[in-house]
Amino acid sequence: QQQVKQSPQSLIVQKGGISIINCAYENTAFDYFPWYQQFPGKGPALLIAIRPDVSEKKEGRFTISFNKSAKQFSLHIMDSQPGDSATYFCAASRKYTGNQFYFGTGTSLTVIP
Amino acid sequence: NAGVTQTPKFRILKIGQSMTLQCTQDMNHNYMYWYRQDPGMGLKLIYYSVGAGITDKGEVPNGYNVSRSTTEDFPLRLELAAPSQTSVYFCASSADFTGELFFGEGSRLTVL
């Protein structure tokens, strides 16, 4: 059973456009929602994260929007660049449970020049 | 700063063979994890450890074993390799409750 559902599976965006990736979860005990970025042949790396006490977090061109009542969160990449082409994973975790993370199935983003 | 180091990067096994994937971190993190990554499936937690001498099962532990004798090392053992264990394996570590996972570069395992 997939604890975190992610869509779309793949995304193609023109340079300068906005990339949007969505995730949904069921377990209301989750209290930490990170996004990881993975380039081919590399391990995932933390991109940005949010806790449920805020509805939005912005770091440069990357923004997480969080809707606690809908149990959904999304990653927005503004002014998308070819260097953003990578696979993005959303995740969710609960503290005090071994810090276990549940990952979405990933979104392959391609930014066309 | 090396971070999380995994070896080997690539390995081909025959069905029934055994092997150990090595993982070492130099950040003095208490928490360590093993994930497997399969196409379209995301990352699935195999085992994790909250400190030396303490390990616990994740979502997909069958066919694997781990040990944690030191803070730095967290090896993953496959006892009887099966084709279903063909995957990319990632080791990760994190400090207590900070949330950020630091991943190694992965070990690609093929079982034929």
Side-chain angles (χ1 to χ4, degrees), chain A residues 63-78:
Chain A
T63 300
I64 299 179
S65 296
F66 185 81
N67 186 329
K68 189 174 182 178
S69 60
K71 293 185 285 186
Q72 295 175 346
F73 58 110
S74 60
L75 175 69
H76 296 238
I77 306 175
M78 311 300 287

Side-chain angles (χ1 to χ4, degrees), chain A residues 2-8 20-26 33-36 64-67 70-75 88-92 102-107:
Chain A
Q2 195 68 28
Q3 297 263 1
V4 178
K5 295 181 180 178
Q6 183 173 347
S7 63
I20 301 174
I21 305 171
N22 300 300
C23 285
Y25 64 96
E26 287 297 324
F33 302 90
W35 285 89
Y36 282 81
I64 299 179
S65 296
F66 185 81
N67 186 329
K71 293 185 285 186
Q72 295 175 346
F73 58 110
S74 60
L75 175 69
Y88 293 81
F89 293 95
C90 62
Y102 297 91
F103 284 84
T105 50
T107 296

Side-chain angles (χ1 to χ4, degrees), chain B residues 30-112:
Chain B
N30 285 326
Y31 289 56
M32 294 189 74
Y33 312 81
W34 275 105
Y35 286 90
R36 59 177 288 171
Q37 184 177 32
D38 300 297
M41 299 294 290
L43 293 123
K44 298 291 186 182
L45 182 64
I46 304 171
Y47 270 96
Y48 68 99
S49 169
V50 300
I54 306 170
T55 63
D56 208 347
K57 297 177 181 179
E59 295 177 86
V60 290
N62 292 343
Y64 307 94
N65 276 301
V66 293
S67 59
R68 185 94 182 270
S69 57
T70 67
T71 299
E72 295 78 18
D73 301 309
F74 190 41
L76 177 72
R77 177 115 181 126
L78 286 72
E79 290 294 348
L80 292 170
S84 61
Q85 294 176 307
T86 294
S87 187
V88 180
Y89 292 85
F90 287 98
C91 179
S93 71
S94 71
D96 297 353
F97 305 135
T98 64
E100 181 173 2
L101 289 173
F102 293 85
F103 284 87
E105 294 204 332
S107 298
R108 182 176 292 276
L109 175 67
T110 301
V111 182
L112 300 174

